Amino acid sequence: MQVGKAIGEEVPIKIHYIWSWPHDQSVTDTWRVGRAFLAGDAAHHFPPHGGFGLNSGVQDVHNLAWKLVAKLRWNAGDQLLDSYEDERLPVAEFNGDQCMRNTRDLAKTGFLAEDKTFLTVIETDTEEGDRARKAFAEGVESQREHLASDG
Ligand SMILES: Cc1cc2nc3c(=O)[nH]c(=O)nc-3n(C[C@H](O)[C@H](O)[C@H](O)COP(=O)(O)OP(=O)(O)OC[C@H]3O[C@@H](n4cnc5c(N)ncnc54)[C@H](O)[C@@H]3O)c2cc1C
């Protein structure tokens, strides 16, 4: 029913799989062991708020790929490969911290709560609807850092 409301048409929906994710952050402190490198969610995972997860993973690989080529084709020094962790670890921590801040700010709006009553009352012409619209408007305002992130 909510899907039909979102796309503006009731169409038959079959749910194949339901999956959830925790709102937490973790960043590995070991990005390389010999010839093995971690990249993407294997190295760091964040809550999705801010859209940093895949972006960070692509940037990891962008950082790593040319270094591997330099090592394999031109026998670059091993320190070049070590610089992968030096460069990516602080970025992953920075991005993860931002995602956690976004999550906490989003939680203040009530949007992350299990109880989504405001979604059903928000369109109603009632005092409860007024309250829900006001809370939602304030919530959007407080999400500037989240929604207008340069990262
Ligand atoms: C709701 C939600 C919204 C998101 N929105 C954004 C967004 O807007 N922008 C953004 O940048 N990021 C977003 N992300 C994060 C993004 O989805 C992840 O960061 C990204 O998918 C991680 O890619 P990955 O390739 O590192 O890992 P994964 O996508 O997890 O890929 C790993 C793959 O390895 C496979 N695999 C696991 N174990 C084995 C094994 N033993 N053998 C073989 N294969 C294996 C898995 O099946 C999987 O296909 C969002 C995440 C969620 C949950």
PDB file of all heavy atoms in Angstrom, residues 28-49:
ATOM      1  N   THR A  28      38.213  -0.472   9.580  1.00  0.00           N
ATOM      2  CA  THR A  28      39.319  -1.360   9.923  1.00  0.00           C
ATOM      3  C   THR A  28      40.600  -0.560  10.178  1.00  0.00           C
ATOM      4  O   THR A  28      40.803   0.494   9.567  1.00  0.00           O
ATOM      5  CB  THR A  28      39.586  -2.391   8.794  1.00  0.00           C
ATOM      6  OG1 THR A  28      40.656  -3.234   9.205  1.00  0.00           O
ATOM      7  CG2 THR A  28      39.979  -1.727   7.486  1.00  0.00           C
ATOM      8  N   ASP A  29      41.438  -1.057  11.069  1.00  0.00           N
ATOM      9  CA  ASP A  29      42.721  -0.364  11.248  1.00  0.00           C
ATOM     10  C   ASP A  29      43.832  -1.091  10.488  1.00  0.00           C
ATOM     11  O   ASP A  29      44.988  -0.693  10.537  1.00  0.00           O
ATOM     12  CB  ASP A  29      43.077  -0.175  12.735  1.00  0.00           C
ATOM     13  CG  ASP A  29      42.966  -1.453  13.533  1.00  0.00           C
ATOM     14  OD1 ASP A  29      42.876  -2.533  12.901  1.00  0.00           O
ATOM     15  OD2 ASP A  29      42.958  -1.376  14.771  1.00  0.00           O
ATOM     16  N   THR A  30      43.482  -2.177   9.780  1.00  0.00           N
ATOM     17  CA  THR A  30      44.470  -2.867   8.941  1.00  0.00           C
ATOM     18  C   THR A  30      43.913  -2.989   7.527  1.00  0.00           C
ATOM     19  O   THR A  30      42.990  -3.756   7.284  1.00  0.00           O
ATOM     20  CB  THR A  30      44.755  -4.282   9.497  1.00  0.00           C
ATOM     21  OG1 THR A  30      45.110  -4.157  10.874  1.00  0.00           O
ATOM     22  CG2 THR A  30      45.878  -4.954   8.744  1.00  0.00           C
ATOM     23  N   TRP A  31      44.456  -2.224   6.616  1.00  0.00           N
ATOM     24  CA  TRP A  31      43.931  -2.181   5.253  1.00  0.00           C
ATOM     25  C   TRP A  31      44.732  -3.073   4.312  1.00  0.00           C
ATOM     26  O   TRP A  31      44.328  -3.354   3.201  1.00  0.00           O
ATOM     27  CB  TRP A  31      43.941  -0.740   4.723  1.00  0.00           C
ATOM     28  CG  TRP A  31      42.966   0.140   5.424  1.00  0.00           C
ATOM     29  CD1 TRP A  31      42.908   0.419   6.758  1.00  0.00           C
ATOM     30  CD2 TRP A  31      41.877   0.856   4.827  1.00  0.00           C
ATOM     31  NE1 TRP A  31      41.862   1.258   7.027  1.00  0.00           N
ATOM     32  CE2 TRP A  31      41.223   1.549   5.863  1.00  0.00           C
ATOM     33  CE3 TRP A  31      41.407   0.987   3.515  1.00  0.00           C
ATOM     34  CZ2 TRP A  31      40.110   2.357   5.640  1.00  0.00           C
ATOM     35  CZ3 TRP A  31      40.298   1.798   3.286  1.00  0.00           C
ATOM     36  CH2 TRP A  31      39.656   2.473   4.340  1.00  0.00           C
ATOM     37  N   ARG A  32      45.900  -3.482   4.783  1.00  0.00           N
ATOM     38  CA  ARG A  32      46.761  -4.290   3.920  1.00  0.00           C
ATOM     39  C   ARG A  32      47.467  -5.348   4.742  1.00  0.00           C
ATOM     40  O   ARG A  32      47.992  -5.061   5.828  1.00  0.00           O
ATOM     41  CB  ARG A  32      47.821  -3.395   3.273  1.00  0.00           C
ATOM     42  CG  ARG A  32      48.799  -4.198   2.461  1.00  0.00           C
ATOM     43  CD  ARG A  32      49.994  -3.404   1.988  1.00  0.00           C
ATOM     44  NE  ARG A  32      50.829  -4.272   1.161  1.00  0.00           N
ATOM     45  CZ  ARG A  32      52.059  -3.994   0.786  1.00  0.00           C
ATOM     46  NH1 ARG A  32      52.611  -2.844   1.147  1.00  0.00           N
ATOM     47  NH2 ARG A  32      52.727  -4.845   0.057  1.00  0.00           N
ATOM     48  N   VAL A  33      47.440  -6.581   4.242  1.00  0.00           N
ATOM     49  CA  VAL A  33      48.316  -7.613   4.803  1.00  0.00           C
ATOM     50  C   VAL A  33      49.003  -8.242   3.610  1.00  0.00           C
ATOM     51  O   VAL A  33      48.386  -8.978   2.819  1.00  0.00           O
ATOM     52  CB  VAL A  33      47.521  -8.678   5.600  1.00  0.00           C
ATOM     53  CG1 VAL A  33      48.469  -9.764   6.112  1.00  0.00           C
ATOM     54  CG2 VAL A  33      46.782  -8.048   6.763  1.00  0.00           C
ATOM     55  N   GLY A  34      50.269  -7.908   3.415  1.00  0.00           N
ATOM     56  CA  GLY A  34      51.024  -8.444   2.274  1.00  0.00           C
ATOM     57  C   GLY A  34      50.377  -8.082   0.961  1.00  0.00           C
ATOM     58  O   GLY A  34      50.236  -6.915   0.618  1.00  0.00           O
ATOM     59  N   ARG A  35      49.924  -9.108   0.243  1.00  0.00           N
ATOM     60  CA  ARG A  35      49.327  -8.867  -1.080  1.00  0.00           C
ATOM     61  C   ARG A  35      47.821  -8.656  -1.014  1.00  0.00           C
ATOM     62  O   ARG A  35      47.167  -8.489  -2.042  1.00  0.00           O
ATOM     63  CB  ARG A  35      49.617 -10.060  -1.988  1.00  0.00           C
ATOM     64  CG  ARG A  35      51.107 -10.271  -2.252  1.00  0.00           C
ATOM     65  CD  ARG A  35      51.322 -11.536  -3.054  1.00  0.00           C
ATOM     66  NE  ARG A  35      50.572 -11.486  -4.313  1.00  0.00           N
ATOM     67  CZ  ARG A  35      50.387 -12.536  -5.106  1.00  0.00           C
ATOM     68  NH1 ARG A  35      50.881 -13.714  -4.765  1.00  0.00           N
ATOM     69  NH2 ARG A  35      49.716 -12.427  -6.232  1.00  0.00           N
ATOM     70  N   ALA A  36      47.253  -8.729   0.195  1.00  0.00           N
ATOM     71  CA  ALA A  36      45.792  -8.580   0.325  1.00  0.00           C
ATOM     72  C   ALA A  36      45.438  -7.166   0.810  1.00  0.00           C
ATOM     73  O   ALA A  36      46.054  -6.651   1.745  1.00  0.00           O
ATOM     74  CB  ALA A  36      45.251  -9.617   1.307  1.00  0.00           C
ATOM     75  N   PHE A  37      44.453  -6.560   0.158  1.00  0.00           N
ATOM     76  CA  PHE A  37      44.013  -5.207   0.513  1.00  0.00           C
ATOM     77  C   PHE A  37      42.514  -5.233   0.763  1.00  0.00           C
ATOM     78  O   PHE A  37      41.773  -5.927   0.066  1.00  0.00           O
ATOM     79  CB  PHE A  37      44.291  -4.232  -0.646  1.00  0.00           C
ATOM     80  CG  PHE A  37      45.752  -4.055  -0.925  1.00  0.00           C
ATOM     81  CD1 PHE A  37      46.426  -4.973  -1.726  1.00  0.00           C
ATOM     82  CD2 PHE A  37      46.449  -2.983  -0.389  1.00  0.00           C
ATOM     83  CE1 PHE A  37      47.781  -4.824  -1.978  1.00  0.00           C
ATOM     84  CE2 PHE A  37      47.810  -2.827  -0.645  1.00  0.00           C
ATOM     85  CZ  PHE A  37      48.477  -3.745  -1.437  1.00  0.00           C
ATOM     86  N   LEU A  38      42.076  -4.470   1.727  1.00  0.00           N
ATOM     87  CA  LEU A  38      40.630  -4.315   1.946  1.00  0.00           C
ATOM     88  C   LEU A  38      40.175  -3.015   1.302  1.00  0.00           C
ATOM     89  O   LEU A  38      40.894  -2.009   1.346  1.00  0.00           O
ATOM     90  CB  LEU A  38      40.308  -4.276   3.445  1.00  0.00           C
ATOM     91  CG  LEU A  38      40.483  -5.570   4.231  1.00  0.00           C
ATOM     92  CD1 LEU A  38      40.123  -5.344   5.702  1.00  0.00           C
ATOM     93  CD2 LEU A  38      39.625  -6.687   3.650  1.00  0.00           C
ATOM     94  N   ALA A  39      38.982  -3.056   0.719  1.00  0.00           N
ATOM     95  CA  ALA A  39      38.410  -1.843   0.111  1.00  0.00           C
ATOM     96  C   ALA A  39      36.892  -1.913   0.264  1.00  0.00           C
ATOM     97  O   ALA A  39      36.329  -2.991   0.463  1.00  0.00           O
ATOM     98  CB  ALA A  39      38.788  -1.759  -1.368  1.00  0.00           C
ATOM     99  N   GLY A  40      36.241  -0.777   0.162  1.00  0.00           N
ATOM    100  CA  GLY A  40      34.780  -0.735   0.219  1.00  0.00           C
ATOM    101  C   GLY A  40      34.260  -1.114   1.592  1.00  0.00           C
ATOM    102  O   GLY A  40      34.934  -0.923   2.615  1.00  0.00           O
ATOM    103  N   ASP A  41      33.059  -1.690   1.617  1.00  0.00           N
ATOM    104  CA  ASP A  41      32.426  -2.032   2.895  1.00  0.00           C
ATOM    105  C   ASP A  41      33.230  -3.057   3.690  1.00  0.00           C
ATOM    106  O   ASP A  41      33.055  -3.182   4.902  1.00  0.00           O
ATOM    107  CB  ASP A  41      31.002  -2.570   2.670  1.00  0.00           C
ATOM    108  CG  ASP A  41      29.979  -1.448   2.557  1.00  0.00           C
ATOM    109  OD1 ASP A  41      30.386  -0.306   2.269  1.00  0.00           O
ATOM    110  OD2 ASP A  41      28.775  -1.726   2.753  1.00  0.00           O
ATOM    111  N   ALA A  42      34.101  -3.794   3.039  1.00  0.00           N
ATOM    112  CA  ALA A  42      34.954  -4.733   3.766  1.00  0.00           C
ATOM    113  C   ALA A  42      35.906  -3.970   4.690  1.00  0.00           C
ATOM    114  O   ALA A  42      36.333  -4.493   5.714  1.00  0.00           O
ATOM    115  CB  ALA A  42      35.744  -5.593   2.778  1.00  0.00           C
ATOM    116  N   ALA A  43      36.222  -2.724   4.319  1.00  0.00           N
ATOM    117  CA  ALA A  43      37.146  -1.917   5.119  1.00  0.00           C
ATOM    118  C   ALA A  43      36.402  -0.954   6.046  1.00  0.00           C
ATOM    119  O   ALA A  43      36.931  -0.546   7.078  1.00  0.00           O
ATOM    120  CB  ALA A  43      38.083  -1.126   4.202  1.00  0.00           C
ATOM    121  N   HIS A  44      35.207  -0.573   5.653  1.00  0.00           N
ATOM    122  CA  HIS A  44      34.467   0.423   6.450  1.00  0.00           C
ATOM    123  C   HIS A  44      32.984   0.301   6.148  1.00  0.00           C
ATOM    124  O   HIS A  44      32.599   0.079   5.012  1.00  0.00           O
ATOM    125  CB  HIS A  44      34.919   1.852   6.084  1.00  0.00           C
ATOM    126  CG  HIS A  44      35.046   2.078   4.601  1.00  0.00           C
ATOM    127  ND1 HIS A  44      33.965   2.182   3.767  1.00  0.00           N
ATOM    128  CD2 HIS A  44      36.147   2.186   3.802  1.00  0.00           C
ATOM    129  CE1 HIS A  44      34.384   2.371   2.527  1.00  0.00           C
ATOM    130  NE2 HIS A  44      35.708   2.362   2.511  1.00  0.00           N
ATOM    131  N   HIS A  45      32.166   0.391   7.162  1.00  0.00           N
ATOM    132  CA  HIS A  45      30.744   0.547   6.846  1.00  0.00           C
ATOM    133  C   HIS A  45      30.126   1.603   7.735  1.00  0.00           C
ATOM    134  O   HIS A  45      30.503   1.766   8.893  1.00  0.00           O
ATOM    135  CB  HIS A  45      29.982  -0.776   6.864  1.00  0.00           C
ATOM    136  CG  HIS A  45      29.699  -1.309   8.224  1.00  0.00           C
ATOM    137  ND1 HIS A  45      28.585  -0.946   8.930  1.00  0.00           N
ATOM    138  CD2 HIS A  45      30.398  -2.146   9.011  1.00  0.00           C
ATOM    139  CE1 HIS A  45      28.608  -1.558  10.097  1.00  0.00           C
ATOM    140  NE2 HIS A  45      29.699  -2.280  10.183  1.00  0.00           N
ATOM    141  N   PHE A  46      29.214   2.330   7.126  1.00  0.00           N
ATOM    142  CA  PHE A  46      28.569   3.458   7.800  1.00  0.00           C
ATOM    143  C   PHE A  46      27.065   3.306   7.634  1.00  0.00           C
ATOM    144  O   PHE A  46      26.615   2.610   6.737  1.00  0.00           O
ATOM    145  CB  PHE A  46      28.931   4.807   7.143  1.00  0.00           C
ATOM    146  CG  PHE A  46      30.332   4.924   6.636  1.00  0.00           C
ATOM    147  CD1 PHE A  46      30.578   5.378   5.347  1.00  0.00           C
ATOM    148  CD2 PHE A  46      31.407   4.629   7.445  1.00  0.00           C
ATOM    149  CE1 PHE A  46      31.873   5.515   4.867  1.00  0.00           C
ATOM    150  CE2 PHE A  46      32.708   4.756   6.979  1.00  0.00           C
ATOM    151  CZ  PHE A  46      32.935   5.204   5.687  1.00  0.00           C
ATOM    152  N   PRO A  47      26.286   4.041   8.423  1.00  0.00           N
ATOM    153  CA  PRO A  47      24.865   4.118   8.105  1.00  0.00           C
ATOM    154  C   PRO A  47      24.700   4.844   6.767  1.00  0.00           C
ATOM    155  O   PRO A  47      25.586   5.630   6.396  1.00  0.00           O
ATOM    156  CB  PRO A  47      24.275   4.959   9.245  1.00  0.00           C
ATOM    157  CG  PRO A  47      25.377   5.274  10.170  1.00  0.00           C
ATOM    158  CD  PRO A  47      26.658   4.852   9.584  1.00  0.00           C
ATOM    159  N   PRO A  48      23.626   4.595   6.033  1.00  0.00           N
ATOM    160  CA  PRO A  48      23.532   5.164   4.686  1.00  0.00           C
ATOM    161  C   PRO A  48      23.297   6.679   4.636  1.00  0.00           C
ATOM    162  O   PRO A  48      23.373   7.255   3.553  1.00  0.00           O
ATOM    163  CB  PRO A  48      22.349   4.424   4.068  1.00  0.00           C
ATOM    164  CG  PRO A  48      21.573   3.881   5.200  1.00  0.00           C
ATOM    165  CD  PRO A  48      22.527   3.673   6.338  1.00  0.00           C
ATOM    166  N   HIS A  49      23.047   7.303   5.786  1.00  0.00           N
ATOM    167  CA  HIS A  49      22.637   8.709   5.762  1.00  0.00           C
ATOM    168  C   HIS A  49      23.791   9.625   5.360  1.00  0.00           C
ATOM    169  O   HIS A  49      24.716   9.851   6.128  1.00  0.00           O
ATOM    170  CB  HIS A  49      22.064   9.108   7.122  1.00  0.00           C
ATOM    171  CG  HIS A  49      21.093   8.077   7.605  1.00  0.00           C
ATOM    172  ND1 HIS A  49      19.948   7.782   6.915  1.00  0.00           N
ATOM    173  CD2 HIS A  49      21.139   7.216   8.637  1.00  0.00           C
ATOM    174  CE1 HIS A  49      19.313   6.800   7.514  1.00  0.00           C
ATOM    175  NE2 HIS A  49      20.021   6.434   8.563  1.00  0.00           N
TER     176      HIS A  49
END
